[in-house]
Amino acid sequence: MELTEQQEQQLNTIKNNLAGVQQKIATACHKTGRELSSVQLLPVTKTVPAERLRLAFAAGCTEMGENKIKEAREKSEALSDLNIKWSIIGHLQTNKVKYVARFAHEFQALDSLKIAEELDKRLQIEGRSMDVLVQVNSSGEASKFGLPPEDVRAFIMNLPNFSSLRIKGLMTLAIFSTDHERVRQCFTKMRTLREMLQQEAPTHLSFDELSMGMSGDYEIAIEEGATILRVGQAIFGKRDLPDSHYWPGITS
Ligand SMILES: *Cc1c(COP(=O)(O)O)cnc(C)c1O
């Protein structure tokens, strides 16, 4: 595509931001003796217009994370000529499941049996399957979705073998805090939980993936074993609305 001067600039900004994030990921991996290939960056594209996502795709972003179904759907339609894998990282309501079953590649926020059932049913209708992560509320904040850590084992043990859902691991949002130790505690809790599930879960479920770490805390998440980093603002710039808009009731 022919780029205007403004688009050239936007493309360069995205490329530079991506390079900066990748550099920090490499440093954190090196520091903790982890392979770079064990950590995947999922660009989070909420509020970024489709036209700018075209540039992000050109800069190498082939997977994009969205938390709102309507927005994700509209973008997936506007960008259907590009081979983008859409990951739904936000809470899902039953009446939206059918849309997700059509266009999403992955769902990271499973926290109820009802949604699992509905998603499996809809995927079968579509003749598709999907990677799924179970969302855990590692911070204990009422504003966050996800299962309490102590309920996860029972939840997955009671999860029927849904043939269209490929359970791959866990997802969490740490507490929003400038106190790194409190953030780290959320991630450590997740790592411990994953270790337990890797040993005890039924064999058709896999718990190797740990999706944790956002723009403000992904380096800590790497140190604690994250395999998927969900990073938005560090790539696309600050959002207009503060985090409290997306997660009402958060304190810090
Ligand atoms: C917005 C969002 C992110 C990314 O947050 P940034 O601060 O933009 O890096 C990660 N995970 C979820 C679930 C989100 O909604």
Side-chain angles (χ1 to χ4, degrees):
M1 68 183 157
E2 203 56 60
L3 297 186
T4 64
E5 201 169 314
Q6 192 201 7
Q7 285 172 326
E8 277 301 346
Q9 273 176 15
Q10 289 183 334
L11 177 60
N12 282 332
T13 304
I14 294 172
K15 280 184 180 166
N16 287 337
N17 290 348
L18 268 175
V21 170
Q22 270 148 0
Q23 182 58 52
K24 286 185 182 165
I25 292 173
T27 305
C29 280
H30 184 71
K31 192 175 146 195
T32 35
R34 294 188 57 185
E35 294 283 342
L36 195 52
S37 61
S38 70
V39 180
Q40 181 208 333
L41 175 64
L42 173 64
V44 173
T45 49
K46 64 177 183 237
T47 76
V48 183
E51 283 320 304
R52 204 139 73 83
L53 295 187
R54 239 171 231 290
L55 303 174
F57 185 81
C61 301
T62 54
E63 296 199 28
M64 300 187 185
E66 288 280 342
N67 71 331
K68 293 256 180 354
I69 309 310
K70 182 169 179 285
E71 184 178 343
R73 240 178 108 195
E74 285 168 2
K75 288 177 184 172
S76 77
E77 278 163 23
L79 302 171
S80 61
D81 56 315
L82 307 178
N83 193 9
I84 297 171
K85 289 180 174 170
W86 296 95
S87 177
I88 300 300
I89 60 175
H91 183 72
L92 188 52
Q93 289 164 322
T94 317
N95 62 349
K96 304 269 173 65
V97 172
K98 56 177 180 288
Y99 305 118
V100 170
R102 277 177 210 150
F103 74 86
H105 165 77
E106 173 180 78
F107 175 51
Q108 292 207 359
L110 179 67
D111 62 1
S112 86
L113 193 54
K114 201 174 89 186
I115 294 290
E117 265 167 18
E118 183 68 13
L119 188 57
D120 184 58
K121 192 178 96 189
R122 293 287 175 176
L123 283 166
Q124 296 206 16
I125 294 170
E126 301 291 330
R128 303 183 65 221
S129 57
M130 194 175 282
D131 290 347
V132 173
L133 307 189
V134 176
Q135 184 171 358
V136 181
N137 184 347
S138 60
S139 69
E141 293 163 290
S143 60
K144 303 263 177 76
F145 286 106
L147 297 162
E150 59 276 16
D151 291 357
V152 176
R153 188 175 181 280
F155 175 74
I156 63 125
M157 291 296 180
N158 291 320
L159 203 60
N161 192 352
F162 292 121
S163 60
S164 303
L165 308 185
R166 292 184 299 264
I167 306 285
K168 295 282 190 186
L170 305 171
M171 181 273 247
T172 202
L173 286 103
I175 190 166
F176 292 105
S177 171
T178 48
D179 182 346
H180 285 183
E181 273 320 300
R182 292 179 69 197
V183 172
R184 188 181 296 277
Q185 279 165 16
C186 294
F187 295 149
T188 312
K189 208 182 281 178
M190 295 295 291
R191 195 185 54 196
T192 311
L193 187 57
R194 174 180 63 176
E195 274 163 23
M196 189 261 280
L197 297 175
Q198 279 173 330
Q199 295 184 4
E200 298 185 15
T203 50
H204 66 278
L205 307 175
S206 147
F207 284 92
D208 293 339
E209 300 295 346
L210 211 42
S211 172
M212 57 189 199
M214 305 172 32
S215 292
D217 58 17
Y218 66 89
E219 290 158 285
I220 307 174
I222 293 171
E223 291 171 18
E224 297 302 324
T227 64
I228 302 172
L229 314 172
R230 306 180 314 270
V231 177
Q233 297 180 91
I235 300 171
F236 298 107
K238 217 169 145 32
R239 281 184 294 273
D240 289 343
L241 295 165
D243 285 338
S244 56
H245 169 77
Y246 300 95
W247 298 282
I250 62 169
T251 38
S252 57

